[in-house]
Amino acid sequence: GARLRRAFAGEATIYRLGGDEFVLAAAHAPSQADAEMLATRVEKLFEAPFDLGETRIASGCSIGIAFIERSDKSTSDVLKRADLALYEAKAISGNSHAFHSETLSHAVRQRAEAERDLTRGFEADEFFLAFLPILGIESGSIGGFQALLRWRHPHLGVIGAETFEPPEQSAITLALGAWALQSACRQAAGWNLPKGLTIAPFVSQLRDRDFVTQVERCLSDAGLSPERLTIEVAEGVSTDDLVIVTDNLRGLRALGVRVALGGGSASSLPLNQISDVQPDQVTVDLAAVRAAHGSERSVALLACLIKTGQVLRLSIAVSGV
């Protein structure tokens, strides 16, 4: 706060919203270039560390930029737009800034509508599980089933999770994922033969610190033995999530649950991370490889995944056959 006040004294007004959020209100009607210049000056203020008592702290900043419009009726109108731009800036590594645009507002409205529709569908019991058989090539018999989340949408018909993509950081996503896991375990426990069950949770579940406890509770409630369950890590795990996701995967292994790495996660996780988790399986999505047919990169990726499985002595599953 002190740095901002000194840097913009007599030029702009600084407000603290609370926590580590500040507002810089510049007078007149600056152009986008002027606003960009202000943002760059703010970013430079964070290049030097902060002395807090005897401790020196390095910190970065993210900046969302919005212009006051004639239609604004209150301060909150412009702050909402600046806040949307701020979250866009946070997705960029390092000191960064982003301008609000109507595209951002439209995307937020779409996410809100999708979330409301998901909540309505969940409350109306429109979701169900389909089970895909997993065939053992050597044995020639079905060794288990993969649980796939499906939505019987009133207007779109039956659609898969890859189509509706539940929003991250959303309570409905965690609730839907928890329901799918619980339902799959209960159904598997009732099968005549003790076949394996594979399920791919949402990324937000994998980075939930209570995920291992939730899996343990589902297994206990259903009476399903841990070694029959395989948790598959699909694509979408970012490097920012690695620590908590890796901890959760280790926790699952400690329970006796099997861990499978999907093609995307197996190629994006560092080798030391894969070794640390000690997965049981690598899953290759043949449909994704086919989609890039003819691409040398896709063939190289397929070869790399198979080689990774062989080197680490992991079983290899292929989906989309």
Side-chain angles (χ1 to χ4, degrees), residues 108-183:
V108 169
R109 286 195 295 271
Q110 281 190 316
R111 283 197 296 270
E113 288 172 7
E115 193 167 343
R116 283 194 294 271
D117 198 23
L118 279 169
T119 303
R120 180 206 55 74
F122 188 53
E123 292 172 350
D125 292 327
E126 293 173 358
F127 291 91
F128 66 97
L129 296 175
F131 290 88
L132 184 73
I134 302 172
L135 181 72
I137 295 299
E138 294 177 356
S139 65
S141 61
I142 293 174
F145 294 86
Q146 180 165 15
L148 303 173
L149 184 62
R150 294 289 182 260
W151 185 2
R152 194 176 285 106
H153 196 280
H155 305 299
L156 303 175
V158 175
I159 55 177
E162 67 282 355
T163 302
F164 56 83
E165 292 184 6
E168 292 188 25
Q169 309 298 339
S170 170
I172 184 59
T173 303
L174 289 176
L176 184 57
W179 172 86
L181 178 63
Q182 186 179 55
S183 299

Side-chain angles (χ1 to χ4, degrees), residues 123-316:
E123 292 172 350
D125 292 327
E126 293 173 358
F127 291 91
F128 66 97
L129 296 175
F131 290 88
L132 184 73
I134 302 172
L135 181 72
I137 295 299
E138 294 177 356
S139 65
S141 61
I142 293 174
F145 294 86
Q146 180 165 15
L148 303 173
L149 184 62
R150 294 289 182 260
W151 185 2
R152 194 176 285 106
H153 196 280
H155 305 299
L156 303 175
V158 175
I159 55 177
E162 67 282 355
T163 302
F164 56 83
E165 292 184 6
E168 292 188 25
Q169 309 298 339
S170 170
I172 184 59
T173 303
L174 289 176
L176 184 57
W179 172 86
L181 178 63
Q182 186 179 55
S183 299
C185 287
R186 285 177 177 171
Q187 291 195 48
W191 293 340
N192 292 331
L193 296 174
K195 301 293 184 180
L197 168 69
T198 297
I199 188 166
F202 298 126
V203 174
S204 53
Q205 287 179 275
L206 290 171
R207 59 175 176 235
D208 183 353
R209 295 189 179 278
D210 294 326
F211 183 60
V212 175
T213 303
Q214 183 186 111
V215 172
E216 189 174 21
R217 187 166 55 246
C218 285
L219 291 169
S220 177
D221 291 347
L224 187 72
S225 55
E227 63 272 11
R228 286 182 58 192
L229 177 64
T230 298
I231 294 294
E232 184 174 298
V233 183
E235 294 188 49
V237 177
S238 71
T239 52
D240 295 336
D241 305 322
L242 283 182
V243 174
I244 181 61
V245 170
T246 302
D247 284 347
N248 279 340
L249 296 179
R250 278 200 300 261
L252 292 174
R253 289 298 312 275
L255 289 179
V257 173
R258 298 177 78 252
V259 171
L261 297 180
S265 58
S267 59
S268 60
L269 288 174
L271 278 176
N272 64 317
Q273 214 76 33
I274 295 176
S275 178
D276 194 23
V277 171
Q278 295 184 339
D280 303 277
Q281 177 181 302
V282 169
T283 302
V284 178
D285 187 347
L286 196 58
V289 174
R290 278 204 191 103
H293 183 66
S295 164
E296 291 184 9
R297 186 177 179 186
S298 68
V299 175
L301 174 61
L302 178 59
C304 178
L305 292 173
I306 292 174
K307 190 65 178 177
T308 299
Q310 291 172 336
V311 169
L312 297 178
R313 295 181 181 179
L314 306 176
S315 61
I316 298 173

